[in-house]
Amino acid sequence: MTLSPSSPVAAASVREGAVPVAPAHGPLRGVSVSDVDFDPEGFWGRRQAVNAAATFGHCLDWMERLGWLSNFDHVARGETIIDRPGWQFSDSEVYKLLEGMAWELGRRDDAELSATFDALVSRVGAAQDADGYLSTAFGHPGLPPRYSDLAMGHELYTMGHLLQAAVARVRTGRPGDAIVQIARRVADHICTEFGDSGRDAVCGHPEIELALAEAGRALGERRYLEQARLFVKRRGRGTLPVPPLQSVEYFQDDRPVREADVLRGHAVRALYLSAGAVDVAVDTEDAELLAALAAQWERTVARRTYLTGGMGSRHQDEGFGEDFELPADRAYCETCAGVASVMFAWRLYLATGDVRYPDLIERTLFNVVATSPSADGRSFFYANPLHQREAAAEALDGVNTRAEGGVRAPWFEVSCCPTNVARTLASLGAYVAAQDAEGIAVLQYAAGSIRIGGFALTIDTAYPDAGRIVVRFDAAPAHPARLRLRIPPWASDATVVVRGGDSSAAPPGWWDLTDTFLPGDEIVLELPTAPRFTWPDPRIDAVRGAVAVERGPLVLCAESTDLPAGVSLDTLRVNTSSSPIPDGDGAAIEVAVTPLPVAGVMPYVDSVAAPAPTSTHPVRLVPYHRWAERGPSTMRVFVPELS
Amino acid sequence: MTLSPSSPVAAASVREGAVPVAPAHGPLRGVSVSDVDFDPEGFWGRRQAVNAAATFGHCLDWMERLGWLSNFDHVARGETIIDRPGWQFSDSEVYKLLEGMAWELGRRDDAELSATFDALVSRVGAAQDADGYLSTAFGHPGLPPRYSDLAMGHELYTMGHLLQAAVARVRTGRPGDAIVQIARRVADHICTEFGDSGRDAVCGHPEIELALAEAGRALGERRYLEQARLFVKRRGRGTLPVPPLQSVEYFQDDRPVREADVLRGHAVRALYLSAGAVDVAVDTEDAELLAALAAQWERTVARRTYLTGGMGSRHQDEGFGEDFELPADRAYCETCAGVASVMFAWRLYLATGDVRYPDLIERTLFNVVATSPSADGRSFFYANPLHQREAAAEALDGVNTRAEGGVRAPWFEVSCCPTNVARTLASLGAYVAAQDAEGIAVLQYAAGSIRIGGFALTIDTAYPDAGRIVVRFDAAPAHPARLRLRIPPWASDATVVVRGGDSSAAPPGWWDLTDTFLPGDEIVLELPTAPRFTWPDPRIDAVRGAVAVERGPLVLCAESTDLPAGVSLDTLRVNTSSSPIPDGDGAAIEVAVTPLPVAGVMPYVDSVAAPAPTSTHPVRLVPYHRWAERGPSTMRVFVPELS
């Protein structure tokens, strides 16, 4: 199915819906972002509203102030560029913001946002070269030549993000938009430059693979998918020079994608590459590649993933660690890796229908993606450690190298995370439901409404604060169809009541009911949200002897903010013989306060005795996603157990 | 006391002795390297012999092969330099090797080594500019201008190492040597360029401070010390631009030296800076600065130092972590940081006489410095982690980025460690004894002989394999003088027998005897070398619930090499109720083998029960300093306890 450039692309977008991922094959289709309305008072609705009202403008202001936007104007005017502001990939932040705005505009009309979008696209388009190449960091007077630093230059990565913004525009019903034309020229340029008879090379930072695959789907251009396939195939031959002192796995260029057995190296790179490789595997019906990626996901989640869903154990390389190398304090867990993990898992879900993928997506959304932005949507975590040893001296303001200091920062030198959060929140609806030949599946529980597969559902819930989820049918097909609800793996005591009948157990996995549903039907799912202890695998040395508390999908944490004056987080020991109890949106646990050892010359001794606790009292734990919201603090997800 | 350039420098060197550190003030003087002869079969004598016989030539070969030596020839010939091999600081490896050779030649005649030394110096000297500047990486045709990258250019760092080589030459009786003249011109140039009326700047990598201080002492040039003082004083004003994504503490330029309370940032930088600051504090009689440095050492050792004495918890920044951030698996513990820690502690010892400094020096020498080189002196560890999760695939050969793979490597892109080991082993005698007004102190126990303060001692011992140390007086002053022996902090049951008398307890710290000693007198010190368990401070999360075994000054470790086939290191649990017993140069401990948990989707579970051991048997532990000598292995210093 190769369509010419003049093919009716609108038709493709209608078939696909307003979704970020639309595989050519596979059992499942996601829900259109335009068919999901979150309750503006709900967990995600509130965040999506703040995102549109504050984060978009915040990002735009920063990029204007720092000159990242005028980079486009300088190129457009043909000026010789000296001391260009921003990293080589700063254009990509503009594109991710455009993508976020496009999804937002796909959900609701907003004339002001629409005008902002068009004005931005106009500045971007003016900087495009006649042959389609688009970059403000290379290939223009005063800048290094095109593709002179494929390893670290990020040109294809950056253009990939532009393609994704255009895909969002096509799928939200604007196939004739200017950005779509720009993107088509970009994609054509890349196919010419890097095609079979072009440069035999890949980009140091994967992203172009998934972008080309999606652009190919949205624009009906099989050539783009073929180019994505080529990029995936070319990776793993060691053609990218490893930067000094970085690991050979950094670029995932040490081993072909289909031969790897786990994700490794730079986490965001690894996850974007994997997501793009799934797109290629699915659309080319490459079952072997798909199986390899699923196996890599499985080992990565079983051995290289934090309790929060966070990925990336090392600040060095921003990379994955070895199996079970999961330090809590130096957890990198970049926000963007959380976003990328959702993208990878979502694609695997669409390809397989396996419940483990939306399970991980839920964990990652609540505990990584929701953790990054502040409540006002104007500051962000870049790294998301599970243990903060020292409280930050003060709130960060201005541009930060990275928010490692235990407080969210407004902007970063490498500012990938704010715009990645922005586009994810704007398109979040896409991940809550899916349809297949049998019917529909509700994957994520959020107050609001969903229209999919002939169904119109209202979801009435205070989830995750409460576990009661009422699914009301406002419309349904007139024939039997399957309703499938995801029961999270921690919900071992979940129950379902159908149309006011008896309560029945719904074990983790899929709960299915095939029936002819009628408007007014109600299904009530009760997920247990009593706080619970969670223990790490004994091979995770970094948190041996410690325990975490979770509540529903939320990982909780202890913050110094909640401790009595003079009590250090280091002195707490959890008594796991008494269960944690609900406390607001968190929990209270019983802790013993134990004296710290007397300091010696070195922190090692030739005998130990468990110190006798000096006091015992309950301590409040708060959801991890809102840690450090009340000012700088020390924090722990895993607290040592009382021995 | 300002001497003119024509002062009798030979007199200064004779006064100082063949020592790496000769403070102008302070209670103590170290022993000359020429007055210590290690038994060539002893622990250190063997290593010192291998160092001279193999490591010197090994380093020289690599530097010749890689073009690091011809860099000097190109500059000397005034050629335009294109694609210069080596990092900006590669000259410093040549200088550290020269320093090592100088100490070696100070201990024994070796015509071939002497000729090699002279030839090298001749190549170096030919590259020196008329005004004294010396660098093959800056300031010549094709290279960046002088001092155009003070933050990362390492020019002063590099020239500092040349000064140290010259100091070694002066103090080993060659004050008229060519390298001394070169060094004097270098130091004069630096004073002119960076003096009070020159550039108000510092070098990104400290080292010039201690080098100028020592050059000032050895050459009788107070100006050089004054320049060192200026550099120390200028640091901490944030004048060095922090490289992208590195921490503000990286250069120790965030806070003045005298205001800091702990070592932070890049570990080798922090330690060299501290060593130079002690030199400045002592010679300028700045008690406040000295006290600040002693307090920084104290907190660093109590909270940021590994059991091995290793320093540096982070690969990122090659830096110190926060207090108690001491991961075993990602311990950086750079070999050079071990060397630098010895340099810092030694200076504090000379200034204060506090026994804690030689205590740490012993720990660091046996467990970091001795760990780096292979038995043949031709491969080296750069990082020295305390836990190896995955065995290396194969032995590294050729140039490596860093030896992180669990096997020693012949050479590195940043190859600071091999030459640092080389100069330390060649000058090791300097650290074994000292003298003050009361007499002498024996600080480190190694088979061999020592001449100091009118004493000639023979040390007869198999230490550290055995704890019996016989100190025999071959000569002694004819008047009463104090013999002081260091009793290590772990030696709680040490005993001493004087002249065959009764055994008496010698508690940790100093054991003193003031007497008129006679030739033939013998004092027998018995240090307990039964293996012992050592537990970490509970704030070191990374090794909670685990225990180490030490034997005398040696940290031991469990290696997969010593496990039965099919038994993984991850399954071992130590039963600390039965004491470890001696086994060769290591120990045997009783371990339980426990089953690994069944893999779930994620490595976190909602209930735990201590698994029942499937078997119990003794496991051999070997000295950490020789881990990975029998091929790639997994390794642990801290092994979890049986709960």
Side-chain angles (χ1 to χ4, degrees):
Chain A
M1 183 192 71
T2 303
L3 302 182
S4 73
S6 58
S7 300
V9 291
S13 81
V14 166
R15 178 178 50 77
E16 293 175 336
V19 295
V21 186
H25 303 280
L28 287 151
R29 279 207 289 151
V31 62
S32 288
V33 299
S34 49
D35 288 336
V36 177
D37 294 307
F38 291 123
D39 177 344
E41 298 304 310
F43 187 95
W44 291 115
R46 209 163 59 237
R47 282 166 175 77
Q48 201 173 53
V50 167
N51 185 53
T55 304
F56 287 166
H58 173 86
C59 293
L60 207 56
D61 286 351
W62 270 102
M63 291 196 280
E64 193 74 271
R65 195 181 320 170
L66 294 173
W68 298 5
L69 294 180
S70 15
N71 284 338
F72 290 95
D73 310 332
H74 296 306
V75 167
R77 291 197 292 262
E79 293 167 10
T80 297
I81 294 162
I82 296 159
D83 288 338
R84 174 186 176 281
W87 283 69
Q88 306 96 307
F89 41 81
S90 66
D91 298 356
S92 71
E93 309 316 336
V94 183
Y95 304 150
K96 278 189 287 182
L97 184 61
L98 284 171
E99 184 191 339
M101 290 174 170
W103 293 123
E104 188 69 24
L105 289 167
R107 294 193 301 106
R108 59 180 181 84
D109 288 331
D110 182 330
E112 193 183 330
L113 183 62
S114 186
T116 303
F117 182 92
D118 289 343
L120 260 183
V121 168
S122 165
R123 290 170 80 176
V124 166
Q128 187 169 34
D129 288 0
D131 69 349
Y133 178 84
L134 180 48
S135 165
T136 73
F138 289 87
H140 298 283
L143 299 172
R146 285 183 186 185
Y147 307 120
S148 53
D149 182 11
L150 276 168
M152 294 304 288
H154 290 75
E155 284 155 287
L156 295 177
Y157 163 90
T158 299
M159 288 188 266
H161 277 301
L162 179 115
L163 299 187
Q164 284 198 278
V167 167
R169 207 62 176 158
V170 171
R171 293 202 179 128
T172 52
R174 276 86 162 184
D177 211 31
I179 195 172
V180 181
Q181 306 313 315
I182 296 169
R184 187 180 286 278
R185 288 195 296 267
V186 160
D188 288 344
H189 157 76
I190 293 171
C191 291
T192 304
E193 190 77 22
F194 291 90
D196 256 334
S197 51
R199 293 173 192 262
D200 181 15
V202 297
C203 180
H205 200 313
E207 140 71 19
I208 190 63
E209 299 80 2
L210 70 92
L212 280 169
E214 282 303 329
R217 291 162 174 177
L219 299 174
E221 285 287 3
R222 181 83 186 184
R223 291 182 296 133
Y224 301 165
L225 173 73
E226 179 53 27
Q227 185 62 48
R229 193 190 64 77
L230 260 185
F231 281 137
V232 170
K233 185 182 158 197
R234 283 178 187 161
R235 209 163 194 99
R237 299 174 305 159
T239 61
L240 293 167
V242 176
L245 308 182
Q246 263 158 342
S247 84
V248 296
E249 301 175 331
Y250 183 75
F251 291 124
Q252 297 79 43
D253 193 32
D254 55 315
R255 211 167 163 189
V257 176
R258 74 176 65 234
E259 291 174 18
D261 55 6
V262 71
L263 298 200
R264 67 221 182 283
H266 188 275
V268 179
R269 282 175 165 82
L271 288 157
Y272 280 168
L273 175 64
S274 301
V278 175
D279 289 335
V280 167
V282 167
D283 282 19
T284 62
E285 300 180 90
D286 185 338
E288 181 197 84
L289 179 58
L290 183 63
L293 291 158
Q296 290 168 39
W297 183 92
E298 199 161 312
R299 176 162 154 200
T300 302
V301 174
R303 293 165 178 248
R304 300 186 174 193
T305 300
Y306 284 93
L307 184 61
T308 54
M311 294 186 182
S313 307
R314 297 178 175 178
H315 284 243
Q316 182 75 10
D317 283 344
E318 306 190 293
F320 281 101
E322 293 178 340
D323 287 355
F324 304 109
E325 180 195 323
L326 292 162
D329 51 355
R330 294 290 284 172
Y332 198 65
C333 292
E334 185 180 335
T335 300
C336 288
V339 168
S341 167
V342 169
M343 294 167 68
F344 181 29
W346 180 247
R347 283 160 169 81
L348 288 170
Y349 167 70
L350 292 180
T352 65
D354 193 321
V355 72
R356 295 174 304 168
Y357 303 121
D359 284 345
L360 184 71
I361 288 173
E362 173 173 62
R363 183 171 287 276
T364 308
L365 288 176
F366 277 115
N367 301 295
V368 180
V369 176
T371 304
S372 175
S374 58
D376 71 357
R378 295 179 185 277
S379 60
F380 304 85
F381 277 130
Y382 189 117
N384 294 282
L386 279 72
H387 178 193
Q388 183 74 25
R389 291 186 176 274
E390 295 182 11
E394 53 189 39
L396 299 173
D397 56 11
V399 178
N400 288 277
T401 51
R402 278 173 200 163
E404 293 177 11
V407 282
R408 293 170 181 84
W411 203 249
F412 306 91
E413 287 184 13
V414 173
S415 210
C416 43
C417 297
T419 55
N420 230 345
V421 167
R423 67 174 182 149
T424 304
L425 289 177
S427 60
L428 198 72
Y431 303 101
V432 305
Q435 60 177 307
D436 62 12
E438 314 297 317
I440 63 167
V442 182
L443 305 169
Q444 306 298 339
Y445 300 111
S449 61
I450 307 172
R451 292 169 299 282
I452 185 170
F455 288 88
L457 307 178
T458 294
I459 311 291
D460 189 4
T461 184
Y463 192 79
D465 287 348
R468 181 180 174 85
I469 296 150
V470 179
V471 179
R472 199 171 53 239
F473 292 77
D474 301 321
H479 51 79
R482 184 177 67 194
L483 172 73
R484 161 165 276 194
L485 301 178
R486 185 181 64 86
I487 313 299
W490 44 264
S492 47
D493 300 322
T495 59
V496 177
V497 171
V498 178
R499 299 186 189 99
D502 290 342
S503 167
S504 61
W510 297 122
W511 178 88
D512 290 343
L513 177 62
T514 301
D515 206 343
T516 302
F517 293 93
L518 297 173
D521 278 356
E522 271 192 6
I523 291 177
V524 179
L525 171 63
E526 288 276 3
L527 298 178
T529 54
R532 62 192 188 275
F533 288 120
T534 301
W535 285 267
D537 186 290
R539 285 166 288 189
I540 307 179
D541 296 273
V543 289
R544 173 173 294 112
V547 65
V549 178
E550 296 182 278
R551 184 175 179 183
L554 302 178
V555 173
L556 306 184
C557 67
E559 260 194 287
S560 52
T561 325
D562 293 306
L563 297 183
V567 173
S568 151
L569 211 49
D570 290 333
T571 65
L572 303 192
R573 294 294 177 272
V574 174
N575 181 354
T576 50
S577 63
S578 69
S579 295
I581 56 169
D583 182 356
D585 62 354
I589 54 168
E590 190 181 312
V591 298
V593 175
T594 54
L596 293 175
V598 177
V601 177
M602 295 190 83
Y604 309 99
V605 294
D606 60 6
S607 64
V608 281
T614 54
S615 64
T616 302
H617 55 88
V619 156
R620 184 166 183 229
L621 306 179
V622 299
Y624 173 76
H625 67 74
R626 62 182 183 81
W627 88 273
E629 280 195 350
R630 297 167 292 170
S633 62
T634 59
M635 179 276 296
R636 274 180 177 278
V637 166
F638 284 97
V639 182
E641 270 192 80
L642 186 64
S643 55
Chain B
M1 181 192 76
T2 304
L3 301 182
S4 73
S6 56
S7 299
V9 292
S13 81
V14 166
R15 176 177 52 76
E16 293 174 337
V19 295
V21 187
H25 303 282
L28 287 152
R29 282 208 287 149
V31 61
S32 289
V33 299
S34 48
D35 289 335
V36 176
D37 294 308
F38 291 122
D39 178 343
E41 297 304 311
F43 186 96
W44 290 115
R46 207 164 59 238
R47 282 165 176 78
Q48 202 173 55
V50 167
N51 185 53
T55 304
F56 287 166
H58 173 85
C59 293
L60 207 57
D61 285 351
W62 270 101
M63 292 196 280
E64 193 75 272
R65 194 181 323 171
L66 294 173
W68 298 5
L69 294 179
S70 16
N71 284 338
F72 290 94
D73 309 332
H74 296 306
V75 167
R77 290 196 294 261
E79 294 166 9
T80 297
I81 294 162
I82 296 161
D83 288 339
R84 174 186 176 279
W87 283 69
Q88 306 97 307
F89 41 80
S90 66
D91 297 357
S92 71
E93 309 316 335
V94 183
Y95 304 151
K96 279 189 288 184
L97 184 61
L98 283 171
E99 184 192 338
M101 290 174 169
W103 293 123
E104 188 69 24
L105 289 166
R107 295 192 301 105
R108 60 180 182 82
D109 289 332
D110 182 330
E112 193 183 333
L113 183 61
S114 187
T116 303
F117 182 91
D118 290 343
L120 259 183
V121 168
S122 164
R123 290 170 80 176
V124 167
Q128 188 169 36
D129 287 359
D131 68 350
Y133 177 85
L134 180 49
S135 165
T136 72
F138 289 87
H140 297 283
L143 299 172
R146 285 184 184 184
Y147 307 122
S148 53
D149 182 12
L150 275 167
M152 293 305 288
H154 290 76
E155 285 155 285
L156 295 177
Y157 162 90
T158 299
M159 287 189 268
H161 277 301
L162 179 116
L163 299 188
Q164 284 199 278
V167 166
R169 208 61 177 159
V170 172
R171 293 199 180 131
T172 52
R174 277 85 162 187
D177 211 30
I179 194 171
V180 181
Q181 306 314 315
I182 296 168
R184 187 180 285 277
R185 288 194 296 267
V186 161
D188 288 344
H189 157 76
I190 292 171
C191 291
T192 303
E193 190 77 20
F194 291 89
D196 255 333
S197 51
R199 293 174 193 261
D200 181 16
V202 298
C203 179
H205 200 313
E207 140 70 20
I208 190 64
E209 299 81 2
L210 70 90
L212 279 169
E214 282 304 329
R217 292 163 174 174
L219 299 175
E221 286 285 3
R222 181 83 186 184
R223 292 182 297 132
Y224 300 165
L225 174 73
E226 179 54 27
Q227 185 62 47
R229 192 189 66 76
L230 259 185
F231 281 137
V232 170
K233 184 182 158 197
R234 283 177 186 162
R235 209 165 193 98
R237 301 173 305 158
T239 60
L240 294 166
V242 176
L245 308 182
Q246 264 160 341
S247 86
V248 296
E249 300 176 331
Y250 183 74
F251 291 126
Q252 297 80 42
D253 193 32
D254 55 315
R255 212 169 163 187
V257 175
R258 72 176 66 233
E259 291 174 18
D261 56 5
V262 70
L263 298 199
R264 68 220 182 281
H266 187 275
V268 178
R269 283 174 164 83
L271 289 157
Y272 279 169
L273 175 64
S274 302
V278 175
D279 289 336
V280 166
V282 167
D283 282 19
T284 62
E285 298 180 274
D286 185 339
E288 182 197 84
L289 179 59
L290 183 63
L293 291 158
Q296 290 168 38
W297 183 90
E298 200 161 311
R299 177 163 155 199
T300 302
V301 174
R303 293 165 178 248
R304 300 186 173 193
T305 300
Y306 284 93
L307 184 61
T308 53
M311 293 186 184
S313 307
R314 297 179 176 177
H315 284 241
Q316 182 75 9
D317 284 342
E318 306 190 293
F320 281 101
E322 294 178 340
D323 287 354
F324 304 111
E325 180 194 324
L326 293 162
D329 49 356
R330 294 289 285 171
Y332 199 66
C333 293
E334 185 182 335
T335 300
C336 288
V339 168
S341 167
V342 169
M343 292 167 69
F344 181 28
W346 179 246
R347 283 160 168 82
L348 287 171
Y349 167 70
L350 292 180
T352 65
D354 192 323
V355 72
R356 294 174 305 169
Y357 302 121
D359 284 346
L360 184 71
I361 288 173
E362 172 172 62
R363 183 172 288 275
T364 309
L365 288 175
F366 277 114
N367 300 295
V368 180
V369 175
T371 304
S372 175
S374 58
D376 71 359
R378 295 179 185 279
S379 60
F380 304 85
F381 277 130
Y382 188 117
N384 294 281
L386 279 73
H387 178 192
Q388 183 74 26
R389 290 186 177 276
E390 294 181 10
E394 53 189 39
L396 299 172
D397 56 11
V399 178
N400 288 277
T401 53
R402 281 173 197 159
E404 294 176 12
V407 282
R408 293 171 181 83
W411 203 249
F412 307 90
E413 287 184 14
V414 173
S415 211
C416 42
C417 296
T419 55
N420 230 345
V421 167
R423 67 175 181 149
T424 304
L425 289 177
S427 60
L428 198 72
Y431 302 101
V432 306
Q435 60 178 306
D436 63 11
E438 314 296 316
I440 63 167
V442 181
L443 304 169
Q444 307 298 341
Y445 301 111
S449 61
I450 306 172
R451 292 169 297 282
I452 184 171
F455 287 88
L457 308 178
T458 294
I459 311 291
D460 190 4
T461 184
Y463 191 80
D465 287 348
R468 181 181 174 84
I469 296 151
V470 179
V471 179
R472 197 171 55 241
F473 291 76
D474 300 321
H479 51 79
R482 184 178 68 195
L483 173 74
R484 162 166 274 193
L485 300 179
R486 185 180 64 87
I487 313 300
W490 44 264
S492 48
D493 300 322
T495 59
V496 177
V497 171
V498 178
R499 298 187 190 98
D502 288 344
S503 166
S504 60
W510 296 123
W511 178 88
D512 289 343
L513 177 63
T514 301
D515 206 343
T516 302
F517 294 93
L518 297 172
D521 278 356
E522 270 192 8
I523 292 177
V524 179
L525 171 63
E526 287 276 2
L527 297 178
T529 54
R532 62 192 189 275
F533 288 120
T534 301
W535 285 268
D537 185 290
R539 286 167 289 189
I540 308 178
D541 296 273
V543 289
R544 174 173 294 111
V547 65
V549 179
E550 297 183 276
R551 183 175 179 182
L554 301 178
V555 173
L556 307 183
C557 67
E559 261 194 287
S560 53
T561 324
D562 293 304
L563 298 183
V567 173
S568 152
L569 210 49
D570 289 334
T571 64
L572 303 192
R573 295 294 177 271
V574 174
N575 180 356
T576 50
S577 63
S578 69
S579 295
I581 56 169
D583 182 356
D585 61 356
I589 55 169
E590 190 181 310
V591 298
V593 175
T594 54
L596 292 175
V598 177
V601 178
M602 295 190 82
Y604 310 100
V605 294
D606 60 6
S607 64
V608 281
T614 53
S615 63
T616 303
H617 55 87
V619 156
R620 181 165 185 229
L621 305 180
V622 299
Y624 172 75
H625 67 73
R626 63 180 183 79
W627 88 274
E629 280 195 352
R630 296 166 293 170
S633 62
T634 59
M635 178 275 296
R636 275 180 176 275
V637 166
F638 284 97
V639 182
E641 270 192 80
L642 186 64
S643 54

